[in-house]
Structures are given as C-alpha cells and as structure tokens.
Amino acid sequence: MSSDVSRDGVVLVGCGRLGSAMLEGWLATGAVAAGDLIILSPSGKPAAEAARAKGARINPPLEALRETRTLVLAVKPAMWRTALEPLVPHLNPEVVLVSVMAGVSSEDIARVAGRPVARVMPTTAVAQARGVAAIWSMDARALSMAQALFAPVADVAPLDDEGLMDAATAVAGSAPAFIYAFVQALADAGVAQGLAPDAAARLARGALRSAGAGLETGDGLDALIARIASPGGTTRAGLDAMAEGGDLNRAAEAAVKAAVERAKSF
Ligand SMILES: NC(=O)c1ccc[n+]([C@@H]2O[C@H](COP(=O)([O-])OP(=O)(O)OC[C@H]3O[C@@H](n4cnc5c(N)ncnc54)[C@H](OP(=O)(O)O)[C@@H]3O)[C@@H](O)[C@H]2O)c1
C-alpha cells in the first residue's frame, strides 16, 4: 500500500550509496510504490534496476517531472547545482525538495529551485527500515512530505533549527564509526589483559551485537545499563573507572565537536 507522498510522485536524484539505500527501504516498506517513482541516475545501479523491474521509471524525458510533488536530492554536495539546475524548468509549481546532502543549506537550494526545501540527514540503515534521520524544514508542507518519506524507514528526530543539522549528523551519522572505534579499543584492552587478538576481536564484536539486541527491547540506556551493572559487581567497577575524571564524556565531546567543526568548514 503506498502513501499519499508516493501517490503524488517522487523523483530521486542520485542513486549512489544513500540513494540506493533509500530506494531499497521505500520499496521494501511500501512507503513509495515503484510505479510512483522516477529515478535520475547517470549510470546504471542495481537498486535502480530492481526498482525498474517493479515499475519505476529511470531517466525518463524531463517533462515527466511535472507529474511529481516531491524531489529528493541525493547527490554529492559538490554536484548539487549541476544536477538540479537543468531540472528546475520542468518542476511542478507545487513540488517540494527534500535534500539529504550534508552541508548544503536549504536557503541555497531554495534560491536555485524556487520551491520549499526540507533537510534530512539519514543513515544508510534506511535500506533495512532501521535507519535514524534528523529532519528539519521551515515549510510545513515540505516537513510533512519528508516525514512521510522517512518515518517508514527510520526513527525520525525533528530538529528545531537547521543549524543543528551538523550536530545531528555527528551524533547519528558519524557515531557508528565512533562506536566501532570504541569497540576496537575494548578489544585492544582485552589483548592487554591476555586475550588472543582473534578472541578479543570476536568477543568485542559480539558485545556490540548484544548491545544492539538490548536496544531492540525499547528500554532506555539507563535501564539497559542497570540490567547489566549490579552494585559492587565487575561491570559497575568498569563503568566507574571509565567515568572517572570525565574521560568518557571528554572523548565523546571531542569527537562530536571535531565532526561539527569539519562539517562547518566545507
Ligand atoms: N552515504 C551516507 O551514509 C550518507 C549519509 C547521510 C547523507 N549523505 C549525503 O547523501 C549524498 C549522497 O551521498 P552518497 O554517499 O550516496 O554518494 P554517492 O554514492 O557518490 O552517490 C551520489 C550519486 O549521485 C549521482 N549523480 C551525480 N551527478 C548526478 C546528476 N546530475 N543527476 C543524478 N545523479 C547524479 C552519482 O551517479 P554516478 O554513480 O553515476 O556518478 C552517484 O551515484 C551526499 O550529499 C551526502 O552528503 C550520505
């Protein structure tokens, strides 16, 4: 069953890593029906071909864009003007743009497109309908179109201010890499305690999977920690050591701050 946003037609501009992930998630969940989709992609992509087999149109004549009410921009930030400018004369007057690009302001996009813009910062786990997405727009219609597209494939977190998009990107988009780095540090610490490197790596990866399974219960982080860390026990001792002197918070703050500063420098 397709949603209203689907029936109004969706154009996906760019079918790379994130574009393909969104496509897979939309088709798997029915958030967008393939027959309501137009995909613009310079080269052939497996996800686009799979959508074509279900009825999506790939690179049709640009006049077809006039039938659609949502255009999702998923090209690299350096490419967006080149990709968008030729499309603008063919857009429906009612279309809204949804940009998933990092570091390109809604104001710049709206200046070129002359249409309302929503910004969304999703993770590629939208492919499995397990993503997370920060979302912002000052236009109510653009915001609701973006919500309709992403709520079926992601946990959607609305932001109060576009300026917070970089912080949201650091906490959601970059954070899996921060967490992997921490898990690697845990494995290294296990080796320092005598574990063989293979065993340490396997145990640390397994611990991350177990932590993810805990999240699936829907319980809050404090409750999940309390379930493992009994007073006076080994986990409590480890947590206390980690928190001592604020080292853990300092590391997290430094990582998020550096990612935000790098995003602002683009
Ligand atoms: N990857 C992520 O995890 C992630 C997360 C959040 C946000 N983002 C944002 O998503 C955007 C895309 O990132 P990505 O990782 O998916 O990059 P990517 O894999 O390089 O995909 C970009 C795609 O844009 C296509 N493209 C280039 N010019 C085009 C045009 N004129 N019309 C239509 N398509 C065109 C490219 O096609 P060809 O392959 O044929 O050259 C390419 O497949 C970026 O702005 C990024 O900031 C990505």
Side-chain angles (χ1 to χ4, degrees):
M1 190 184 66
S2 64
S3 63
D4 289 347
V5 68
S6 172
R7 282 194 294 277
D8 287 341
V10 176
V11 185
L12 174 64
V13 185
C15 196
R17 269 182 307 162
L18 182 57
S20 294
M22 294 187 297
L23 200 49
E24 286 167 20
W26 290 334
L27 295 181
T29 58
V32 182
D36 300 327
L37 254 173
I38 291 175
I39 300 161
L40 303 184
S41 176
S43 63
K45 304 285 179 199
E49 287 311 318
R52 190 209 297 270
K54 293 178 177 163
R57 283 174 289 170
I58 319 281
N59 299 325
L62 291 181
E63 293 73 60
L65 299 191
R66 197 161 282 276
E67 302 158 22
T68 63
R69 298 287 194 280
T70 309
L71 181 143
V72 182
L73 255 183
V75 299
K76 287 284 190 202
M79 296 296 302
W80 75 270
R81 283 177 195 276
T82 318
L84 180 60
E85 277 169 354
L87 311 182
V88 173
H90 303 282
L91 297 179
N92 189 288
E94 297 293 311
V95 80
V96 298
L97 275 73
V98 176
S99 166
V100 296
M101 299 181 298
V104 183
S105 74
S106 62
E107 195 184 347
D108 282 352
I109 300 168
R111 207 176 291 131
V112 170
R115 312 287 198 284
V117 177
R119 285 190 59 195
V120 180
M121 195 47 61
T123 57
T124 49
V126 290
Q128 294 84 30
R130 292 164 70 107
V132 58
I135 184 166
W136 177 89
S137 181
M138 65 188 298
D139 180 272
R141 202 162 51 87
L143 189 64
S144 102
M145 292 293 212
Q147 284 268 9
L149 272 180
F150 284 91
V153 293
D155 193 352
V156 170
L159 301 182
D160 294 334
D161 189 311
E162 184 174 8
L164 296 170
M165 205 42 97
D166 293 337
T169 305
V171 172
S174 305
F178 302 157
I179 293 166
Y180 298 144
F182 182 67
V183 170
Q184 180 61 57
L186 283 177
D188 294 346
V191 172
Q193 290 296 320
L195 289 172
D198 280 1
R202 173 172 238 162
L203 291 167
R205 287 173 67 105
L208 180 58
R209 264 196 305 278
S210 303
L215 281 182
E216 298 298 318
T217 63
D219 289 346
L221 295 176
D222 284 346
L224 291 169
I225 290 173
R227 202 174 296 152
I228 305 170
S230 43
T234 56
T235 307
R236 187 73 263 162
L239 286 167
D240 289 348
M242 226 162 46
E244 206 171 282
D247 284 353
L248 181 63
N249 285 75
R250 242 194 319 278
E253 278 165 24
V256 170
K257 186 161 176 272
V260 168
E261 282 169 5
R262 179 57 55 87
K264 292 201 187 307
S265 74
F266 288 144

